[in-house]
């Protein structure tokens, strides 16, 4: 199983996969490990992790450098440590730039999100307003439909009444024409009365404004004088 370096409390974390070079010594400024503290553990074994910034890694590398020098390391180890520090410094600069860019992007996204939320709220308010207007228009349409139905019913009633009046007028006209056609000329009385044609009946005499009609007057006839007193259509 893979072994990993397990720094004691107060030591900076080592880079992943780090292995101490030959002759390495810990930095004298680092605290002593607790008694029995294992510096190397299995990768699956829970170990203490310390959240440190990248500068902590740089400090660890500097400690390696001092350890190598203190332990009689050669110039090559120093150059390697120097190169590692330069690389880590460049990584810190890149990460810092990335962090600034991400912060700006986050702020832009938050601003866009706030604007979008405001637009959504405005759209919801507009939808609610239009829904209210639509409901009001639907109610007005129902009222208009009811009024149109009532007007149609009244129109039908008026048309039926007009048709009935026209029918009655036609019947009256036909009756008047029939009455005129049935008017008969009654011969004058034997005693020598007027030769004027008599009314067919009292209705005709009244319609002509001649009732009552007397014997000897135009339109008189015995058939109009039922009691024979000389006055017809009394």
């Amino acid at each position: 199983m893979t072994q990993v370096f397990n720094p004691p409390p107060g030591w900076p974390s080592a880079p992943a996969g780090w292995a101490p070079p030959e002759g390495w010594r810990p930095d004298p400024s680092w605290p002593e490990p607790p008694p029995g503290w294992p510096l190397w553990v299995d990768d699956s074994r829970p170990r203490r992790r310390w959240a440190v910034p990248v500068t902590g890694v740089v400090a660890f590398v500097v400690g390696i450098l001092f350890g190598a020098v203190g332990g009689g390391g050669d110039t090559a180890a120093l150059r390697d440590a120097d190169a590692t520090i330069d690389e880590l410094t460049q990584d810190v600069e890149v990460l810092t730039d990335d962090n600034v860019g991400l912060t700006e992007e986050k702020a832009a996204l938050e601003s866009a999100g706030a604007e979008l939320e405001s637009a959504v709220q405005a759209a919801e308010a507009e939808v609610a307003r239009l829904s209210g207007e639509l409901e009001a228009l639907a109610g007005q349409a129902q009222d208009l439909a009811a009024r149109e139905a009532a007007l149609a019913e009244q129109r039908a009633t008026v048309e039926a009444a007009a048709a009935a009046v026209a029918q009655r007028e036609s019947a009256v006209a036909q009756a008047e024409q029939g009455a005129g056609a049935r008017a008969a000329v009654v011969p004058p009385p034997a005693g020598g009365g007027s030769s004027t044609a008599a009314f067919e009946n009292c209705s005709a005499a009244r319609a002509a404004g001649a009732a009552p009609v007397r014997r000897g007057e135009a339109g008189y006839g015995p058939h109009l004088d039922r009691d024979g007193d000389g006055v017809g259509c009394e």
Side-chain angles (χ1 to χ4, degrees):
M1 183 173 293
T2 306
Q3 294 266 315
V4 294
F5 184 69
N6 184 30
W11 289 28
S13 299
W18 175 83
E22 184 179 356
W24 175 80
R25 295 286 188 280
D27 189 337
S29 63
W30 296 351
E32 288 291 330
W37 183 272
L39 295 178
W40 295 93
V41 295
D42 294 337
D43 193 20
S44 59
R45 175 181 173 181
R47 61 193 181 91
R48 191 168 183 179
R49 299 182 180 274
W50 299 85
V52 295
V54 178
T55 52
V57 178
V58 175
F60 182 81
V61 174
V62 171
I64 295 173
L65 173 61
F66 284 128
V69 174
D74 55 13
T75 308
L78 182 60
R79 285 198 302 268
D80 290 343
D82 243 357
T84 302
I85 292 173
D86 289 341
E87 291 177 1
L88 291 174
T89 303
Q90 293 176 2
D91 291 343
V92 168
E93 292 175 355
V94 172
L95 290 174
T96 302
D97 293 339
D98 290 345
N99 185 48
V100 171
L102 290 174
T103 302
E104 293 175 353
E105 290 180 6
K106 179 183 178 182
L109 289 174
E110 289 176 349
S111 176
E115 293 178 359
L116 181 59
E117 183 177 359
S118 177
V120 168
Q121 292 177 353
E124 290 176 347
E126 182 67 12
V127 168
R129 185 185 67 81
L130 292 176
S131 297
E133 291 183 357
L134 184 60
E135 291 179 358
L137 290 175
Q140 293 178 5
Q142 291 179 352
D143 292 341
L144 288 175
R147 292 176 61 185
E148 288 178 354
L151 288 174
E153 185 176 355
Q154 292 177 2
R155 187 181 298 111
T157 302
V158 171
E159 290 176 353
V165 170
Q167 186 176 4
R168 291 178 60 185
E169 289 178 349
S170 176
V172 170
Q174 290 177 0
E176 290 177 350
Q177 290 177 358
R182 290 193 300 270
V185 177
V186 179
S194 176
S195 61
T196 305
F199 291 107
E200 180 183 9
N201 51 42
C202 288
S203 296
R206 293 189 182 92
V213 59
R214 292 174 174 78
R215 184 182 295 118
E217 292 180 352
Y220 176 82
H223 62 288
L224 303 177
D225 187 6
R226 293 183 179 182
D227 56 4
D229 63 353
V231 181
C233 300
E234 294 177 302

